[in-house]
Amino acid sequence: MSATRIPPPQPAQRVGAAPKKHEAKTPSEEPDFRSQLDAWLESHRASLVDSLRRLAKQPIGSFFTCLVMAVALSLPMGLALLLDNVERLGGSWQRAAQISLFLQIDASEAEGQALREQIGAMDEVAEAEWISREQALDEFQQQSGLGEALKELPDNPLPGVVLVTPREIDKVTLEALRLRLAELPKVQQAQLDLLWVERLTAILNLGDRFVFGLSLLLVMALLLVIGNTIRLHIENRRTEIEVIKLVGGTDSYVRRPFLYMGALYGLGAGLLAWLLLAYGLGWLNAAVIRLAGLYGSDFALAGVPAGDGLSLLLGAVLLGYIGAWLAVARHLNELQPR
Amino acid sequence: MIKFEQVGKRYPNGHVGLHELSFRVRRGEFLFVTGHSGAGKSTLLRLLLAMERPTSGKLLLAGQDLGQISNAQIPFLRRQIGVVFQNHQLLFDRSVFDNVALPLQILGLSKVEIGKRVGAALERVSLADKAEQFPSELSTGQQQRVGIARAVVHRPALLLADEPTGNLDPRLAAEIMGVFEDINRLGTSVLIASHDLALIARMRHRMLTLQRGRLIGDGEAV
């Protein structure tokens, strides 16, 4: 039929043998390490290109799959970033937490100043401020609206106060400092209001747990989305998979293009989620800056840090890969040549 | 090369596909397996491809017991077998070249080697000029020849064909059988399941006749 001859087949005793290195090929055919590496790389490159081509063939479907995954990724990530910002804001408030030392009513101005200097020199104290009895009365008259009534009093009833700003905001440390300051001479009472700090911390802890729970749920949803998408791709390529298995394709060979596809979906979703978060936080930031300005603060939301963005990308790629792996593992055995 | 020793295949629903089948095939032999529909021809091929396992007896292929072969070894077994189907089983979204190259890509050969071998295989089936075309652009006979090129491109020790001429007119069928004989002359064992007795008789090769899963004849076709 044809004049062209190719070399005769290799001995039949190789039939069914696993590819042992010494007998997989005759010496003349034995490819060197470089050729094997090139062939392996070429196989991966071909799988990647094929996966890209298939995604590009259905641009709208691929985009919406990525978008659904991106929304699932950006929800917990966005909440986590907002919580980070609230913690940052809370941290600045906590630093403003102060211990008020009310001195005995007979403490003099000089004693108050000396006490302020003594406390200010302590390691745990960032700053100490002295408010004399007269200053305290002035402030109270201005802020309470009881100015006229207070003028009727025969003596100033307010004590001098030393406002202490601690370096540490840990509850235990603060309480220890309060007790120590309460022991100082001329101190009548040392007051520390930690309740709001505790409440804020509790709210942030609750938020952290909520984000963690939501993340778990959305990771599961994401795995289902990618798993279902890959399952459809597998169904569409049923014949191809059967033929590949029939001509000697291993499970890993069959699995490879789907894993690339899952990772590519993850990459697309990660990039979209990053974009969504960056634009979303930027959009919110304008309102936050305006609100903070009304309170005399220059607080602004931080954007998506590059490290977090890269983690998001990596996590998304990994999730896509795992989702695809699970889907292929589940369906591969069902696809046997008929 | 192939040794059936009292091989039986019983399906879970009770149907018996093969009944204590015993025969041997020598290396480089060309033989037909014939019989009516349901005689067990396809079951025999499926057992050789490890798509199914015998439920009794011993089936040896080059000394390897296919009843005991692990799932992980099956792909490596199939790499040494070429298979041709009546319906070609071509991938219609790939070119003729890519269809034929598939077994070589799975083997991990280099691009250059794949190019050489695919070219030679297509030359052998007289389709060298169709490499860039898609299967849908070819006639049924040409599609079957692409299937044959794919089956032999990796130089298998054994070529199996299930009704390879079932959809072809007599002239094309004879042409395809000529290709199989060419391949056989190079040392490849060829086992063809067919019920085309007229065609088989013209070829004068060994013929196994099956009836309801039993071997009722083993001799040269006349």
Side-chain angles (χ1 to χ4, degrees), chain A residues 43-319:
Chain A
S43 165
H44 277 269
R45 189 200 64 80
S47 290
L48 176 60
V49 170
D50 181 63
S51 301
L52 273 171
R53 190 176 54 82
R54 285 175 194 276
L55 291 180
K57 243 175 151 179
Q58 299 171 313
I60 295 176
S62 303
F63 174 77
F64 276 104
T65 302
C66 288
L67 190 61
V68 169
M69 290 172 68
V71 170
L73 282 169
S74 55
L75 270 176
M77 184 75 180
L79 276 174
L81 285 171
L82 281 177
L83 276 178
D84 278 349
N85 278 290
V86 172
E87 276 176 26
R88 195 162 55 84
L89 183 62
S92 65
W93 290 342
Q94 285 175 28
R95 273 188 289 282
Q98 289 173 323
I99 297 173
S100 303
L101 292 183
F102 295 99
L103 304 192
Q104 292 166 0
I105 202 80
D106 60 346
S108 67
E109 173 79 19
E111 286 171 328
Q113 289 287 8
L115 196 61
R116 181 195 67 78
E117 282 177 23
Q118 182 190 348
I119 293 170
M122 291 178 172
D123 289 340
E124 309 95 310
V125 174
E127 192 183 350
E129 183 188 356
W130 163 245
I131 299 172
S132 67
R133 294 179 64 197
E134 289 71 29
Q135 281 175 284
L137 185 64
D138 282 348
E139 280 181 25
F140 189 65
Q141 281 175 334
Q142 285 167 19
Q143 290 173 11
S144 66
L146 299 172
E148 291 306 314
L150 289 170
K151 281 178 187 166
E152 299 300 319
L153 293 173
D155 292 312
N156 179 357
L158 300 179
V161 177
V162 178
L163 286 177
V164 180
T165 304
R167 288 190 196 281
E168 297 287 329
I169 50 165
D170 170 65
K171 184 187 172 186
V172 177
T173 314
L174 280 176
E175 186 57 24
L177 180 63
R178 185 190 74 81
L179 289 173
R180 199 172 144 206
L181 293 174
E183 297 296 315
L184 293 173
K186 291 291 177 183
V187 174
Q188 180 75 37
Q189 189 185 353
Q191 188 176 306
L192 168 66
D193 184 7
L194 278 178
L195 193 58
W196 70 271
V197 176
E198 287 173 7
R199 281 178 182 159
L200 181 64
T201 307
I203 290 169
L204 290 175
N205 282 341
L206 179 68
D208 280 342
R209 284 194 173 216
F210 179 72
V211 168
F212 182 71
L214 187 68
S215 300
L216 280 184
L217 283 175
L218 289 172
V219 160
M220 280 192 277
L222 219 138
L223 288 176
L224 284 175
V225 168
I226 192 76
N228 198 44
T229 307
I230 294 297
R231 184 184 63 78
L232 291 175
H233 281 286
I234 291 172
E235 281 300 319
N236 286 338
R237 297 171 71 177
R238 177 179 277 272
T239 308
E240 182 184 343
I241 292 170
E242 287 174 0
V243 170
I244 287 172
K245 284 193 162 193
L246 210 50
V247 297
T250 56
D251 284 353
S252 64
Y253 185 89
V254 173
R255 195 184 294 126
R256 191 176 301 149
F258 297 107
L259 297 184
Y260 272 113
M261 193 167 274
L264 285 172
Y265 272 124
L267 181 67
L271 284 170
L272 267 176
W274 196 345
L275 271 176
L276 282 175
L277 285 172
Y279 277 100
L281 287 176
W283 176 71
L284 265 183
N285 207 16
V288 168
I289 289 171
R290 198 174 316 122
L291 180 66
L294 293 174
Y295 285 92
S297 164
D298 59 355
F299 177 79
L301 291 175
V304 186
D308 286 359
L310 289 175
S311 301
L312 175 71
L313 268 186
L314 194 68
V317 169
L318 202 63
L319 277 173

Side-chain angles (χ1 to χ4, degrees), chain B:
Chain B
M1 174 167 192
I2 300 172
K3 193 171 171 186
F4 277 68
E5 288 180 356
Q6 302 288 310
V7 172
K9 176 66 187 175
R10 179 186 287 273
Y11 291 95
N13 63 5
H15 172 69
V16 178
L18 292 177
H19 192 84
E20 294 185 354
L21 212 62
S22 295
F23 67 90
R24 288 176 184 222
V25 178
R26 295 188 312 278
R27 190 167 299 145
E29 197 172 0
F30 192 121
L31 82 157
F32 288 101
V33 178
T34 189
H36 294 295
S37 277
K41 304 188 296 289
S42 296
T43 304
L44 190 147
L45 294 187
R46 292 172 69 81
L47 288 176
L48 284 170
L49 280 166
M51 291 160 76
E52 290 175 10
R53 289 172 192 260
T55 46
S56 63
K58 203 168 194 178
L59 170 52
L60 299 172
L61 180 54
Q64 183 147 19
D65 187 345
L66 297 193
Q68 304 296 322
I69 192 171
S70 71
N71 287 338
Q73 283 177 301
I74 289 174
F76 302 105
L77 167 87
R78 291 179 181 158
R79 289 178 190 187
Q80 304 300 325
I81 302 173
V83 58
V84 179
F85 297 95
Q86 182 178 0
N87 61 357
H88 327 309
Q89 292 272 47
L90 298 179
L91 303 177
F92 281 76
D93 62 341
R94 297 188 187 197
S95 68
V96 166
F97 183 96
D98 288 337
N99 267 281
V100 177
L102 186 61
L104 304 179
Q105 289 167 346
I106 288 169
L107 284 174
L109 298 191
S110 68
K111 263 184 167 179
V112 176
E113 185 65 19
I114 289 174
K116 271 195 242 171
R117 291 206 193 181
V118 171
L122 288 175
E123 187 78 36
R124 175 181 294 166
V125 295
S126 306
L127 287 177
D129 57 332
K130 308 284 184 191
E132 299 309 316
Q133 293 193 5
F134 284 82
S136 56
E137 299 168 318
L138 305 179
S139 68
T140 310
Q142 287 172 326
Q143 287 179 8
Q144 189 58 294
R145 281 191 276 158
V146 174
I148 294 171
R150 186 182 65 190
V152 299
V153 72
H154 56 300
R155 303 168 187 169
L158 172 66
L159 180 64
L160 304 176
D162 191 6
E163 302 286 1
T165 57
N167 293 332
L168 306 179
D169 61 46
R171 189 187 57 81
L172 272 178
E175 192 179 308
I176 293 296
M177 284 299 170
V179 175
F180 284 130
E181 286 194 313
D182 272 357
I183 292 162
N184 176 244
R185 273 186 219 110
L186 294 173
T188 301
S189 307
V190 178
L191 192 156
I192 299 173
S194 174
H195 62 264
D196 188 346
L197 289 173
L199 184 72
I200 293 170
R202 279 202 299 276
M203 308 271 302
R204 292 193 169 274
H205 287 295
R206 182 182 168 197
M207 178 177 75
L208 302 177
T209 308
L210 297 178
Q211 190 177 60
R212 292 181 185 172
R214 292 175 194 273
L215 184 63
I216 59 163
D218 183 354
E220 188 178 314
V222 288

